[in-house]
Amino acid sequence: MENEFQKVMSQRTDEELIKILTVERGKYNPLAIEAAESEVKKRNIDTSDFEQIREKATIEKEQKEKVDSNVVGSGIRFVNFLIDFIVWLVLAFIISFIIEFFIQPTDQGMISLIGYILIFGTFIAYYAIMEIKFQKTIGKFVTKTKVVKMNGEKPTDGDIIVRTFCRLVPFDRLSFLFVKNGIHDFLSKTTVVKDKTE
């Protein structure tokens, strides 16, 4: 009788099979390991690649565990949010005061439009500029945390832009009541961790 895992293992890539037989071996049922070994023999995969892939997978696994152990909880995220919310309101107020000083629109529709642009513009600019330049906002400076990719690397400018716009998703703030990484973290594949460099 054919091993029930044979079909599953036949659909794995060479690299996945090597990971299963080296780094992830402890996670699998003995029959699954047997099926993976059989598939490796059937494909005639060069076992000299095993060590290199095992090392790479081990490093990736250690990096992920290190990041996961440093992810901050909902309490710190809430403090970050409060501080950043206050900073954003102050910035919006200052900029609106400056704009009102130089531009005095008389049309009510124009005033409303300028108000919306101001609110969203300062929000987007604050988070994007701070996190692109420093990997943190004022709130994160205070709580000694920073934004990283899921593997612990520094996020790209694109990651931060996605993260910033995802903050506008309805109920994003409430998502932190249920999980450590909220909607804007999940969609941008980023997270917030303790900043060990400080």
Side-chain angles (χ1 to χ4, degrees):
M1 185 176 122
E2 189 181 324
N3 181 330
E4 61 187 291
F5 294 102
Q6 201 68 49
K7 185 175 182 205
V8 174
M9 293 303 168
S10 69
Q11 295 169 350
R12 302 287 183 158
T13 65
D14 291 359
E15 189 168 323
E16 287 173 329
L17 287 171
I18 294 168
K19 280 183 183 178
I20 290 167
L21 292 176
T22 55
V23 184
E24 300 174 356
R25 193 176 191 102
K27 295 181 186 176
Y28 286 87
N29 170 316
L31 287 175
I33 296 296
E34 187 181 304
E37 287 172 342
S38 170
E39 188 63 30
V40 166
K41 284 179 190 166
K42 189 159 89 177
R43 293 186 197 178
N44 199 22
I45 297 173
D46 184 5
T47 53
S48 65
D49 292 342
F50 275 40
E51 188 57 30
Q52 184 182 357
I53 290 172
R54 186 188 68 75
E55 284 176 19
K56 182 181 167 198
T58 303
I59 290 167
E60 287 171 2
K61 184 180 172 189
E62 286 171 359
Q63 280 180 316
K64 177 142 180 40
E65 286 170 358
K66 186 178 175 186
V67 170
D68 289 347
S69 70
N70 282 320
V71 171
V72 296
S74 299
I76 291 176
R77 299 296 296 267
F78 184 69
V79 171
N80 288 347
F81 165 72
L82 282 180
I83 294 168
D84 291 332
F85 184 73
I86 291 166
V87 170
W88 167 59
L89 284 179
V90 169
L91 280 174
F93 176 76
I94 291 168
I95 292 169
S96 69
F97 181 75
I98 292 168
I99 288 174
E100 258 183 59
F101 187 74
F102 290 107
I103 303 170
Q104 297 181 357
T106 53
D107 179 21
Q108 188 60 40
M110 182 60 87
I111 292 170
S112 295
L113 178 65
I114 290 172
Y116 286 126
I117 291 170
L118 184 71
I119 288 168
F120 287 111
T122 54
F123 180 86
I124 301 288
Y126 171 68
Y127 281 101
I129 291 168
M130 291 297 292
E131 290 185 347
I132 286 171
K133 189 148 180 68
F134 305 108
Q135 277 182 271
K136 45 177 82 183
T137 56
I138 302 297
K140 291 179 189 75
F141 272 108
V142 171
T143 60
K144 293 182 171 57
T145 57
K146 68 179 179 179
V147 179
V148 295
K149 289 168 99 167
M150 291 299 192
N151 63 4
E153 293 175 1
K154 181 179 180 182
T156 64
D157 294 356
D159 295 329
I160 297 298
I161 298 296
V162 169
R163 177 180 169 81
T164 301
F165 279 98
C166 288
R167 289 176 190 277
L168 300 173
V169 171
F171 309 113
D172 175 58
R173 299 289 176 227
L174 295 177
S175 63
F176 291 97
L177 297 174
F178 309 104
V179 290
K180 266 188 176 181
N181 289 322
I183 293 170
H184 69 266
D185 293 324
F186 176 76
L187 294 175
S188 63
K189 295 181 176 50
T190 58
T191 191
V192 176
V193 297
K194 296 171 200 153
D195 189 356
K196 297 294 189 183
T197 60
E198 292 195 5

